[in-house]
Amino acid sequence: MQYTTLNNGVKMPMVGFGVFQIPDQDQCQKVVEEAIKTGYRLIDTAEAYGNEEAVGKAIKASGVPREELFITTKVFIQHMSYEGTKEAFAESLKKLDLAYLDLYLLHQPVGDTFGAWRALEELYKEGKIRAIGVSNFKPDQIANLSLFNDITPAVNQVEVHVFNQKEEEKIYLTSKGIQMESWGAFAEGQFDIFNNPILTEIAAKYGKSTAQVMLRWQLQRGIVSLSKSANPERVRQNFDIFDFELSDEDMAKITTINTNTTVFADHHDAATVELLAGFVGKSF
Ligand code: NAP
């Protein structure tokens, strides 16, 4: 496993396993156990995923010492305030059955993010979270949050994959010492991503799958990647990316697939904010 060092000195694994859209508790527990057995040490969940208890059970069952694991969860919009975040944090910790978190993120740049951030800063200073960060924030939102609070986020977890490469955002984050972490490394399989001709040609050259090429490409860009699979064989396959290196030429070829647009939702679009707010009953 390769690690990155965050802006507060904490070491974070470069390759992680995500559990979005695995609502079945037994299946989630089994697949997280499989992931930890395979070698994953970073597990990414969220209160909104409804499976923190299953992740907690898998951690206990794995037998791997707590300090070897890097556990992330996130506070969602209904708790995006100072008090709400304090409550959500306590609830997440209880569900995960943990004494501390490695990384706690504001899930969306929506709601009272300043109040929520101050709660994270306090929890961090009390030693209950080893690193704090954000998700789906654009550079202007990161600048605003950082400049008007005490602590600069350690991580921004954002949509990054071959169709939405975000090189400029990566350069900005790096210049501020913030680690980029990608979600949706496979664009959730959209646009026949696993059969993309450029990726297929590169994968054949290295004797790897297109999924492995996409994850290796993230690693070589210095991005912490998250992928999800509920299939044990693919869980193992997605971790087997440390024994080959993409050439500069192949890295450059992959840049030609970039469309630089989201395949999910733009967090600068009012319609996205309205949609997210609608999940917690807010509307104009
Ligand atoms: P993803 O990893 O881009 O794609 C998952 C899809 O790819 C599933 O359909 C999976 O199917 C398939 N797949 C996985 N490995 C494969 C392989 N080797 N070959 C072929 N198909 C494969 O999607 P994601 O779950 O949305 O993103 C990953 C993680 O990022 C999430 O679990 C979550 O932790 C995080 N995330 C965060 C946010 C945020 O707002 N912060 C948003 C979305 C996701 P099978 O399960 O059948 O293998």
Side-chain angles (χ1 to χ4, degrees), residues 184-232:
F186 305 139
E188 289 182 8
Q190 293 188 76
F191 303 105
D192 206 15
I193 197 168
F194 296 108
N195 296 310
N196 178 280
I198 290 179
L199 297 176
T200 305
E201 189 195 316
I202 294 172
K205 203 163 121 184
Y206 295 90
K208 289 284 180 182
S209 69
T210 52
Q212 290 168 319
V213 166
M214 288 188 265
L215 294 172
R216 182 73 208 184
W217 167 78
Q218 303 247 19
L219 182 66
Q220 288 182 217
R221 291 182 71 206
I223 298 171
V224 172
S225 71
L226 293 174
S227 61
K228 169 263 169 184
S229 176
N231 171 311

mmCIF file of all heavy atoms in Angstrom, residues 184-232:
data_model
loop_
_atom_site.group_PDB
_atom_site.id
_atom_site.type_symbol
_atom_site.label_atom_id
_atom_site.label_comp_id
_atom_site.label_asym_id
_atom_site.label_seq_id
_atom_site.Cartn_x
_atom_site.Cartn_y
_atom_site.Cartn_z
ATOM 1 N N GLY A 184 -16.171 7.729 -7.267
ATOM 2 C CA GLY A 184 -16.683 7.330 -8.591
ATOM 3 C C GLY A 184 -15.567 7.114 -9.596
ATOM 4 O O GLY A 184 -15.665 7.546 -10.745
ATOM 5 N N ALA A 185 -14.516 6.416 -9.176
ATOM 6 C CA ALA A 185 -13.360 6.211 -10.065
ATOM 7 C C ALA A 185 -13.760 5.540 -11.376
ATOM 8 O O ALA A 185 -13.058 5.660 -12.379
ATOM 9 C CB ALA A 185 -12.312 5.372 -9.354
ATOM 10 N N PHE A 186 -14.901 4.834 -11.378
ATOM 11 C CA PHE A 186 -15.377 4.182 -12.604
ATOM 12 C C PHE A 186 -16.606 4.891 -13.169
ATOM 13 O O PHE A 186 -17.336 4.306 -13.989
ATOM 14 C CB PHE A 186 -15.732 2.714 -12.313
ATOM 15 C CG PHE A 186 -14.623 1.917 -11.686
ATOM 16 C CD1 PHE A 186 -14.886 1.006 -10.666
ATOM 17 C CD2 PHE A 186 -13.313 2.056 -12.114
ATOM 18 C CE1 PHE A 186 -13.867 0.264 -10.086
ATOM 19 C CE2 PHE A 186 -12.290 1.323 -11.535
ATOM 20 C CZ PHE A 186 -12.563 0.423 -10.517
ATOM 21 N N ALA A 187 -16.863 6.119 -12.739
ATOM 22 C CA ALA A 187 -18.060 6.850 -13.172
ATOM 23 C C ALA A 187 -19.312 5.983 -13.012
ATOM 24 O O ALA A 187 -20.266 6.089 -13.799
ATOM 25 C CB ALA A 187 -17.911 7.328 -14.623
ATOM 26 N N GLU A 188 -19.243 5.093 -12.000
ATOM 27 C CA GLU A 188 -20.330 4.132 -11.742
ATOM 28 C C GLU A 188 -20.700 3.335 -12.990
ATOM 29 O O GLU A 188 -21.857 2.987 -13.203
ATOM 30 C CB GLU A 188 -21.550 4.841 -11.120
ATOM 31 C CG GLU A 188 -21.281 5.277 -9.680
ATOM 32 C CD GLU A 188 -22.471 5.934 -8.982
ATOM 33 O OE1 GLU A 188 -23.573 5.936 -9.550
ATOM 34 O OE2 GLU A 188 -22.274 6.447 -7.871
ATOM 35 N N GLY A 189 -19.721 3.096 -13.845
ATOM 36 C CA GLY A 189 -19.932 2.245 -15.025
ATOM 37 C C GLY A 189 -20.622 2.940 -16.191
ATOM 38 O O GLY A 189 -20.933 2.293 -17.203
ATOM 39 N N GLN A 190 -20.840 4.255 -16.079
ATOM 40 C CA GLN A 190 -21.569 4.960 -17.152
ATOM 41 C C GLN A 190 -20.749 5.017 -18.452
ATOM 42 O O GLN A 190 -19.531 4.908 -18.438
ATOM 43 C CB GLN A 190 -21.878 6.391 -16.704
ATOM 44 C CG GLN A 190 -22.869 6.468 -15.547
ATOM 45 C CD GLN A 190 -23.265 7.904 -15.290
ATOM 46 O OE1 GLN A 190 -24.047 8.493 -16.019
ATOM 47 N NE2 GLN A 190 -22.702 8.467 -14.238
ATOM 48 N N PHE A 191 -21.422 5.280 -19.548
ATOM 49 C CA PHE A 191 -20.816 5.474 -20.874
ATOM 50 C C PHE A 191 -19.887 4.309 -21.253
ATOM 51 O O PHE A 191 -18.836 4.517 -21.858
ATOM 52 C CB PHE A 191 -20.073 6.809 -20.950
ATOM 53 C CG PHE A 191 -20.954 7.972 -20.636
ATOM 54 C CD1 PHE A 191 -20.856 8.628 -19.407
ATOM 55 C CD2 PHE A 191 -21.920 8.396 -21.528
ATOM 56 C CE1 PHE A 191 -21.696 9.694 -19.096
ATOM 57 C CE2 PHE A 191 -22.761 9.457 -21.231
ATOM 58 C CZ PHE A 191 -22.652 10.102 -20.002
ATOM 59 N N ASP A 192 -20.281 3.106 -20.850
ATOM 60 C CA ASP A 192 -19.524 1.898 -21.205
ATOM 61 C C ASP A 192 -18.033 2.052 -20.868
ATOM 62 O O ASP A 192 -17.155 1.603 -21.613
ATOM 63 C CB ASP A 192 -19.705 1.617 -22.714
ATOM 64 C CG ASP A 192 -19.536 0.135 -23.046
ATOM 65 O OD1 ASP A 192 -19.572 -0.680 -22.101
ATOM 66 O OD2 ASP A 192 -19.339 -0.185 -24.228
ATOM 67 N N ILE A 193 -17.777 2.654 -19.724
ATOM 68 C CA ILE A 193 -16.400 3.025 -19.352
ATOM 69 C C ILE A 193 -15.443 1.833 -19.356
ATOM 70 O O ILE A 193 -14.285 1.955 -19.768
ATOM 71 C CB ILE A 193 -16.393 3.758 -17.982
ATOM 72 C CG1 ILE A 193 -15.086 4.527 -17.761
ATOM 73 C CG2 ILE A 193 -16.650 2.819 -16.825
ATOM 74 C CD1 ILE A 193 -15.136 5.499 -16.586
ATOM 75 N N PHE A 194 -15.936 0.657 -18.923
ATOM 76 C CA PHE A 194 -15.033 -0.502 -18.823
ATOM 77 C C PHE A 194 -14.623 -1.035 -20.203
ATOM 78 O O PHE A 194 -13.687 -1.804 -20.302
ATOM 79 C CB PHE A 194 -15.683 -1.616 -17.987
ATOM 80 C CG PHE A 194 -15.921 -1.216 -16.554
ATOM 81 C CD1 PHE A 194 -17.205 -0.968 -16.079
ATOM 82 C CD2 PHE A 194 -14.851 -1.062 -15.683
ATOM 83 C CE1 PHE A 194 -17.418 -0.598 -14.762
ATOM 84 C CE2 PHE A 194 -15.054 -0.689 -14.359
ATOM 85 C CZ PHE A 194 -16.345 -0.450 -13.899
ATOM 86 N N ASN A 195 -15.353 -0.608 -21.267
ATOM 87 C CA ASN A 195 -15.006 -1.049 -22.632
ATOM 88 C C ASN A 195 -14.497 0.099 -23.487
ATOM 89 O O ASN A 195 -14.463 0.002 -24.716
ATOM 90 C CB ASN A 195 -16.231 -1.684 -23.311
ATOM 91 C CG ASN A 195 -16.658 -2.941 -22.595
ATOM 92 O OD1 ASN A 195 -15.828 -3.803 -22.327
ATOM 93 N ND2 ASN A 195 -17.932 -3.027 -22.238
ATOM 94 N N ASN A 196 -14.085 1.193 -22.850
ATOM 95 C CA ASN A 196 -13.561 2.324 -23.622
ATOM 96 C C ASN A 196 -12.365 1.839 -24.458
ATOM 97 O O ASN A 196 -11.455 1.200 -23.922
ATOM 98 C CB ASN A 196 -13.128 3.427 -22.649
ATOM 99 C CG ASN A 196 -12.522 4.604 -23.376
ATOM 100 O OD1 ASN A 196 -11.360 4.577 -23.754
ATOM 101 N ND2 ASN A 196 -13.324 5.618 -23.599
ATOM 102 N N PRO A 197 -12.346 2.148 -25.769
ATOM 103 C CA PRO A 197 -11.290 1.588 -26.632
ATOM 104 C C PRO A 197 -9.874 1.998 -26.217
ATOM 105 O O PRO A 197 -8.955 1.167 -26.281
ATOM 106 C CB PRO A 197 -11.622 2.162 -28.014
ATOM 107 C CG PRO A 197 -12.990 2.736 -27.923
ATOM 108 C CD PRO A 197 -13.359 2.905 -26.494
ATOM 109 N N ILE A 198 -9.685 3.220 -25.787
ATOM 110 C CA ILE A 198 -8.322 3.648 -25.388
ATOM 111 C C ILE A 198 -7.876 2.882 -24.136
ATOM 112 O O ILE A 198 -6.757 2.368 -24.056
ATOM 113 C CB ILE A 198 -8.277 5.175 -25.170
ATOM 114 C CG1 ILE A 198 -8.406 5.863 -26.534
ATOM 115 C CG2 ILE A 198 -6.992 5.615 -24.458
ATOM 116 C CD1 ILE A 198 -8.404 7.363 -26.513
ATOM 117 N N LEU A 199 -8.787 2.754 -23.185
ATOM 118 C CA LEU A 199 -8.450 2.025 -21.952
ATOM 119 C C LEU A 199 -8.237 0.541 -22.234
ATOM 120 O O LEU A 199 -7.340 -0.096 -21.667
ATOM 121 C CB LEU A 199 -9.557 2.198 -20.906
ATOM 122 C CG LEU A 199 -9.810 3.627 -20.411
ATOM 123 C CD1 LEU A 199 -11.005 3.659 -19.459
ATOM 124 C CD2 LEU A 199 -8.571 4.191 -19.707
ATOM 125 N N THR A 200 -9.042 -0.007 -23.147
ATOM 126 C CA THR A 200 -8.925 -1.435 -23.484
ATOM 127 C C THR A 200 -7.562 -1.718 -24.109
ATOM 128 O O THR A 200 -6.901 -2.708 -23.774
ATOM 129 C CB THR A 200 -10.061 -1.836 -24.461
ATOM 130 O OG1 THR A 200 -11.301 -1.481 -23.859
ATOM 131 C CG2 THR A 200 -10.062 -3.323 -24.747
ATOM 132 N N GLU A 201 -7.133 -0.826 -24.988
ATOM 133 C CA GLU A 201 -5.831 -1.016 -25.657
ATOM 134 C C GLU A 201 -4.696 -0.949 -24.628
ATOM 135 O O GLU A 201 -3.789 -1.788 -24.622
ATOM 136 C CB GLU A 201 -5.672 0.098 -26.709
ATOM 137 C CG GLU A 201 -4.491 -0.076 -27.625
ATOM 138 C CD GLU A 201 -4.183 1.215 -28.373
ATOM 139 O OE1 GLU A 201 -5.131 1.867 -28.869
ATOM 140 O OE2 GLU A 201 -2.992 1.570 -28.435
ATOM 141 N N ILE A 202 -4.777 0.032 -23.728
ATOM 142 C CA ILE A 202 -3.718 0.181 -22.711
ATOM 143 C C ILE A 202 -3.730 -1.038 -21.772
ATOM 144 O O ILE A 202 -2.687 -1.594 -21.453
ATOM 145 C CB ILE A 202 -3.910 1.502 -21.916
ATOM 146 C CG1 ILE A 202 -3.703 2.700 -22.848
ATOM 147 C CG2 ILE A 202 -2.956 1.566 -20.720
ATOM 148 C CD1 ILE A 202 -4.045 4.054 -22.221
ATOM 149 N N ALA A 203 -4.928 -1.451 -21.365
ATOM 150 C CA ALA A 203 -5.042 -2.571 -20.420
ATOM 151 C C ALA A 203 -4.414 -3.837 -21.010
ATOM 152 O O ALA A 203 -3.681 -4.560 -20.312
ATOM 153 C CB ALA A 203 -6.514 -2.809 -20.079
ATOM 154 N N ALA A 204 -4.666 -4.084 -22.302
ATOM 155 C CA ALA A 204 -4.130 -5.295 -22.953
ATOM 156 C C ALA A 204 -2.600 -5.288 -22.912
ATOM 157 O O ALA A 204 -1.962 -6.316 -22.688
ATOM 158 C CB ALA A 204 -4.637 -5.361 -24.385
ATOM 159 N N LYS A 205 -2.027 -4.107 -23.096
ATOM 160 C CA LYS A 205 -0.566 -3.977 -23.106
ATOM 161 C C LYS A 205 0.064 -4.416 -21.787
ATOM 162 O O LYS A 205 1.150 -4.990 -21.767
ATOM 163 C CB LYS A 205 -0.271 -2.489 -23.358
ATOM 164 C CG LYS A 205 1.071 -2.203 -23.918
ATOM 165 C CD LYS A 205 1.078 -0.795 -24.495
ATOM 166 C CE LYS A 205 2.122 0.045 -23.836
ATOM 167 N NZ LYS A 205 2.077 1.436 -24.304
ATOM 168 N N TYR A 206 -0.608 -4.123 -20.663
ATOM 169 C CA TYR A 206 -0.048 -4.434 -19.338
ATOM 170 C C TYR A 206 -0.609 -5.750 -18.767
ATOM 171 O O TYR A 206 -0.252 -6.129 -17.651
ATOM 172 C CB TYR A 206 -0.342 -3.293 -18.360
ATOM 173 C CG TYR A 206 0.341 -1.981 -18.737
ATOM 174 C CD1 TYR A 206 -0.292 -1.059 -19.567
ATOM 175 C CD2 TYR A 206 1.630 -1.691 -18.288
ATOM 176 C CE1 TYR A 206 0.325 0.133 -19.931
ATOM 177 C CE2 TYR A 206 2.261 -0.504 -18.645
ATOM 178 C CZ TYR A 206 1.600 0.402 -19.467
ATOM 179 O OH TYR A 206 2.220 1.580 -19.822
ATOM 180 N N GLY A 207 -1.509 -6.385 -19.510
ATOM 181 C CA GLY A 207 -2.142 -7.604 -18.994
ATOM 182 C C GLY A 207 -3.011 -7.325 -17.789
ATOM 183 O O GLY A 207 -3.079 -8.127 -16.846
ATOM 184 N N LYS A 208 -3.671 -6.160 -17.800
ATOM 185 C CA LYS A 208 -4.523 -5.753 -16.674
ATOM 186 C C LYS A 208 -5.928 -5.466 -17.197
ATOM 187 O O LYS A 208 -6.158 -5.400 -18.411
ATOM 188 C CB LYS A 208 -3.938 -4.487 -16.020
ATOM 189 C CG LYS A 208 -2.639 -4.747 -15.252
ATOM 190 C CD LYS A 208 -2.916 -5.430 -13.924
ATOM 191 C CE LYS A 208 -1.670 -5.723 -13.117
ATOM 192 N NZ LYS A 208 -1.952 -6.425 -11.868
ATOM 193 N N SER A 209 -6.886 -5.234 -16.298
ATOM 194 C CA SER A 209 -8.235 -4.871 -16.725
ATOM 195 C C SER A 209 -8.316 -3.345 -16.870
ATOM 196 O O SER A 209 -7.450 -2.612 -16.349
ATOM 197 C CB SER A 209 -9.264 -5.334 -15.686
ATOM 198 O OG SER A 209 -9.121 -4.574 -14.502
ATOM 199 N N THR A 210 -9.352 -2.883 -17.564
ATOM 200 C CA THR A 210 -9.511 -1.424 -17.694
ATOM 201 C C THR A 210 -9.746 -0.796 -16.312
ATOM 202 O O THR A 210 -9.308 0.324 -16.059
ATOM 203 C CB THR A 210 -10.684 -1.070 -18.640
ATOM 204 O OG1 THR A 210 -11.851 -1.779 -18.210
ATOM 205 C CG2 THR A 210 -10.364 -1.410 -20.077
ATOM 206 N N ALA A 211 -10.408 -1.526 -15.410
ATOM 207 C CA ALA A 211 -10.637 -1.001 -14.049
ATOM 208 C C ALA A 211 -9.293 -0.761 -13.366
ATOM 209 O O ALA A 211 -9.075 0.288 -12.736
ATOM 210 C CB ALA A 211 -11.481 -1.996 -13.246
ATOM 211 N N GLN A 212 -8.381 -1.726 -13.506
ATOM 212 C CA GLN A 212 -7.065 -1.575 -12.871
ATOM 213 C C GLN A 212 -6.287 -0.408 -13.479
ATOM 214 O O GLN A 212 -5.604 0.324 -12.757
ATOM 215 C CB GLN A 212 -6.279 -2.892 -13.004
ATOM 216 C CG GLN A 212 -6.867 -4.002 -12.131
ATOM 217 C CD GLN A 212 -6.288 -5.369 -12.462
ATOM 218 O OE1 GLN A 212 -6.082 -5.710 -13.638
ATOM 219 N NE2 GLN A 212 -6.045 -6.168 -11.439
ATOM 220 N N VAL A 213 -6.427 -0.230 -14.782
ATOM 221 C CA VAL A 213 -5.735 0.904 -15.437
ATOM 222 C C VAL A 213 -6.271 2.226 -14.881
ATOM 223 O O VAL A 213 -5.510 3.152 -14.576
ATOM 224 C CB VAL A 213 -5.906 0.838 -16.975
ATOM 225 C CG1 VAL A 213 -5.507 2.148 -17.648
ATOM 226 C CG2 VAL A 213 -5.099 -0.317 -17.542
ATOM 227 N N MET A 214 -7.597 2.312 -14.714
ATOM 228 C CA MET A 214 -8.190 3.578 -14.213
ATOM 229 C C MET A 214 -7.717 3.893 -12.794
ATOM 230 O O MET A 214 -7.471 5.050 -12.453
ATOM 231 C CB MET A 214 -9.715 3.490 -14.263
ATOM 232 C CG MET A 214 -10.248 3.559 -15.676
ATOM 233 S SD MET A 214 -12.050 3.688 -15.712
ATOM 234 C CE MET A 214 -12.534 1.993 -15.905
ATOM 235 N N LEU A 215 -7.583 2.858 -11.973
ATOM 236 C CA LEU A 215 -7.147 3.086 -10.585
ATOM 237 C C LEU A 215 -5.647 3.408 -10.529
ATOM 238 O O LEU A 215 -5.212 4.252 -9.747
ATOM 239 C CB LEU A 215 -7.486 1.877 -9.712
ATOM 240 C CG LEU A 215 -8.994 1.638 -9.541
ATOM 241 C CD1 LEU A 215 -9.256 0.318 -8.826
ATOM 242 C CD2 LEU A 215 -9.654 2.779 -8.785
ATOM 243 N N ARG A 216 -4.880 2.739 -11.381
ATOM 244 C CA ARG A 216 -3.437 3.004 -11.438
ATOM 245 C C ARG A 216 -3.174 4.443 -11.921
ATOM 246 O O ARG A 216 -2.296 5.140 -11.433
ATOM 247 C CB ARG A 216 -2.785 1.991 -12.388
ATOM 248 C CG ARG A 216 -1.289 2.123 -12.509
ATOM 249 C CD ARG A 216 -0.570 1.646 -11.280
ATOM 250 N NE ARG A 216 0.699 2.354 -11.140
ATOM 251 C CZ ARG A 216 1.596 2.103 -10.185
ATOM 252 N NH1 ARG A 216 1.406 1.171 -9.293
ATOM 253 N NH2 ARG A 216 2.710 2.805 -10.129
ATOM 254 N N TRP A 217 -3.995 4.876 -12.886
ATOM 255 C CA TRP A 217 -3.880 6.240 -13.423
ATOM 256 C C TRP A 217 -4.104 7.269 -12.298
ATOM 257 O O TRP A 217 -3.374 8.257 -12.190
ATOM 258 C CB TRP A 217 -4.901 6.390 -14.555
ATOM 259 C CG TRP A 217 -5.173 7.770 -15.035
ATOM 260 C CD1 TRP A 217 -4.386 8.516 -15.877
ATOM 261 C CD2 TRP A 217 -6.315 8.572 -14.728
ATOM 262 N NE1 TRP A 217 -4.985 9.735 -16.098
ATOM 263 C CE2 TRP A 217 -6.162 9.787 -15.409
ATOM 264 C CE3 TRP A 217 -7.459 8.378 -13.956
ATOM 265 C CZ2 TRP A 217 -7.099 10.819 -15.333
ATOM 266 C CZ3 TRP A 217 -8.394 9.389 -13.867
ATOM 267 C CH2 TRP A 217 -8.210 10.594 -14.549
ATOM 268 N N GLN A 218 -5.072 6.994 -11.424
ATOM 269 C CA GLN A 218 -5.325 7.916 -10.295
ATOM 270 C C GLN A 218 -4.116 7.936 -9.353
ATOM 271 O O GLN A 218 -3.678 8.998 -8.902
ATOM 272 C CB GLN A 218 -6.560 7.477 -9.499
ATOM 273 C CG GLN A 218 -7.820 7.374 -10.309
ATOM 274 C CD GLN A 218 -8.867 8.415 -9.925
ATOM 275 O OE1 GLN A 218 -8.572 9.423 -9.307
ATOM 276 N NE2 GLN A 218 -10.098 8.180 -10.307
ATOM 277 N N LEU A 219 -3.603 6.734 -9.064
ATOM 278 C CA LEU A 219 -2.468 6.615 -8.137
ATOM 279 C C LEU A 219 -1.277 7.410 -8.665
ATOM 280 O O LEU A 219 -0.637 8.158 -7.915
ATOM 281 C CB LEU A 219 -2.108 5.132 -7.978
ATOM 282 C CG LEU A 219 -0.987 4.766 -7.013
ATOM 283 C CD1 LEU A 219 -1.397 5.088 -5.573
ATOM 284 C CD2 LEU A 219 -0.650 3.273 -7.120
ATOM 285 N N GLN A 220 -0.978 7.259 -9.955
ATOM 286 C CA GLN A 220 0.184 7.957 -10.540
ATOM 287 C C GLN A 220 -0.030 9.458 -10.611
ATOM 288 O O GLN A 220 0.922 10.212 -10.725
ATOM 289 C CB GLN A 220 0.530 7.364 -11.908
ATOM 290 C CG GLN A 220 1.158 5.987 -11.770
ATOM 291 C CD GLN A 220 1.588 5.332 -13.070
ATOM 292 O OE1 GLN A 220 1.467 4.130 -13.214
ATOM 293 N NE2 GLN A 220 2.097 6.101 -14.033
ATOM 294 N N ARG A 221 -1.301 9.900 -10.551
ATOM 295 C CA ARG A 221 -1.564 11.353 -10.509
ATOM 296 C C ARG A 221 -1.479 11.903 -9.080
ATOM 297 O O ARG A 221 -1.670 13.095 -8.864
ATOM 298 C CB ARG A 221 -2.971 11.654 -11.075
ATOM 299 C CG ARG A 221 -3.102 11.415 -12.559
ATOM 300 C CD ARG A 221 -4.501 11.797 -13.029
ATOM 301 N NE ARG A 221 -4.722 13.219 -13.012
ATOM 302 C CZ ARG A 221 -5.922 13.805 -12.877
ATOM 303 N NH1 ARG A 221 -7.018 13.067 -12.736
ATOM 304 N NH2 ARG A 221 -6.035 15.114 -12.876
ATOM 305 N N GLY A 222 -1.262 11.033 -8.113
ATOM 306 C CA GLY A 222 -1.181 11.477 -6.716
ATOM 307 C C GLY A 222 -2.541 11.689 -6.080
ATOM 308 O O GLY A 222 -2.682 12.418 -5.088
ATOM 309 N N ILE A 223 -3.568 11.049 -6.654
ATOM 310 C CA ILE A 223 -4.935 11.179 -6.130
ATOM 311 C C ILE A 223 -5.283 9.934 -5.323
ATOM 312 O O ILE A 223 -5.038 8.811 -5.779
ATOM 313 C CB ILE A 223 -5.933 11.343 -7.305
ATOM 314 C CG1 ILE A 223 -5.613 12.617 -8.098
ATOM 315 C CG2 ILE A 223 -7.375 11.353 -6.814
ATOM 316 C CD1 ILE A 223 -6.406 12.762 -9.392
ATOM 317 N N VAL A 224 -5.837 10.126 -4.135
ATOM 318 C CA VAL A 224 -6.353 8.986 -3.358
ATOM 319 C C VAL A 224 -7.629 8.540 -4.057
ATOM 320 O O VAL A 224 -8.517 9.361 -4.299
ATOM 321 C CB VAL A 224 -6.668 9.406 -1.904
ATOM 322 C CG1 VAL A 224 -7.395 8.282 -1.165
ATOM 323 C CG2 VAL A 224 -5.393 9.783 -1.157
ATOM 324 N N SER A 225 -7.734 7.261 -4.385
ATOM 325 C CA SER A 225 -8.939 6.822 -5.110
ATOM 326 C C SER A 225 -9.815 5.927 -4.245
ATOM 327 O O SER A 225 -9.330 5.209 -3.370
ATOM 328 C CB SER A 225 -8.561 6.070 -6.391
ATOM 329 O OG SER A 225 -8.011 4.813 -6.064
ATOM 330 N N LEU A 226 -11.107 6.011 -4.531
ATOM 331 C CA LEU A 226 -12.095 5.122 -3.913
ATOM 332 C C LEU A 226 -12.776 4.374 -5.034
ATOM 333 O O LEU A 226 -13.153 4.976 -6.035
ATOM 334 C CB LEU A 226 -13.175 5.934 -3.190
ATOM 335 C CG LEU A 226 -12.756 6.719 -1.964
ATOM 336 C CD1 LEU A 226 -13.930 7.574 -1.501
ATOM 337 C CD2 LEU A 226 -12.298 5.791 -0.848
ATOM 338 N N SER A 227 -12.942 3.072 -4.862
ATOM 339 C CA SER A 227 -13.801 2.347 -5.785
ATOM 340 C C SER A 227 -14.708 1.472 -4.956
ATOM 341 O O SER A 227 -14.433 1.205 -3.783
ATOM 342 C CB SER A 227 -12.975 1.490 -6.746
ATOM 343 O OG SER A 227 -12.232 0.539 -6.022
ATOM 344 N N LYS A 228 -15.800 1.083 -5.565
ATOM 345 C CA LYS A 228 -16.761 0.217 -4.883
ATOM 346 C C LYS A 228 -17.029 -1.005 -5.738
ATOM 347 O O LYS A 228 -17.175 -0.914 -6.952
ATOM 348 C CB LYS A 228 -18.075 0.985 -4.643
ATOM 349 C CG LYS A 228 -19.246 0.134 -4.183
ATOM 350 C CD LYS A 228 -20.169 -0.257 -5.340
ATOM 351 C CE LYS A 228 -21.175 -1.314 -4.934
ATOM 352 N NZ LYS A 228 -22.003 -1.763 -6.077
ATOM 353 N N SER A 229 -17.061 -2.171 -5.106
ATOM 354 C CA SER A 229 -17.592 -3.352 -5.765
ATOM 355 C C SER A 229 -18.224 -4.228 -4.701
ATOM 356 O O SER A 229 -17.680 -4.377 -3.609
ATOM 357 C CB SER A 229 -16.500 -4.142 -6.500
ATOM 358 O OG SER A 229 -17.096 -5.317 -7.020
ATOM 359 N N ALA A 230 -19.365 -4.799 -5.036
ATOM 360 C CA ALA A 230 -20.013 -5.741 -4.125
ATOM 361 C C ALA A 230 -19.656 -7.174 -4.520
ATOM 362 O O ALA A 230 -20.198 -8.123 -3.975
ATOM 363 C CB ALA A 230 -21.524 -5.528 -4.148
ATOM 364 N N ASN A 231 -18.742 -7.293 -5.493
ATOM 365 C CA ASN A 231 -18.351 -8.609 -6.004
ATOM 366 C C ASN A 231 -16.939 -8.940 -5.503
ATOM 367 O O ASN A 231 -15.982 -8.231 -5.842
ATOM 368 C CB ASN A 231 -18.404 -8.519 -7.545
ATOM 369 C CG ASN A 231 -17.829 -9.730 -8.222
ATOM 370 O OD1 ASN A 231 -16.737 -10.182 -7.911
ATOM 371 N ND2 ASN A 231 -18.572 -10.260 -9.181
ATOM 372 N N PRO A 232 -16.766 -9.992 -4.693
ATOM 373 C CA PRO A 232 -15.464 -10.274 -4.070
ATOM 374 C C PRO A 232 -14.311 -10.385 -5.070
ATOM 375 O O PRO A 232 -13.207 -9.903 -4.789
ATOM 376 C CB PRO A 232 -15.695 -11.609 -3.344
ATOM 377 C CG PRO A 232 -17.165 -11.666 -3.118
ATOM 378 C CD PRO A 232 -17.812 -10.924 -4.251
#
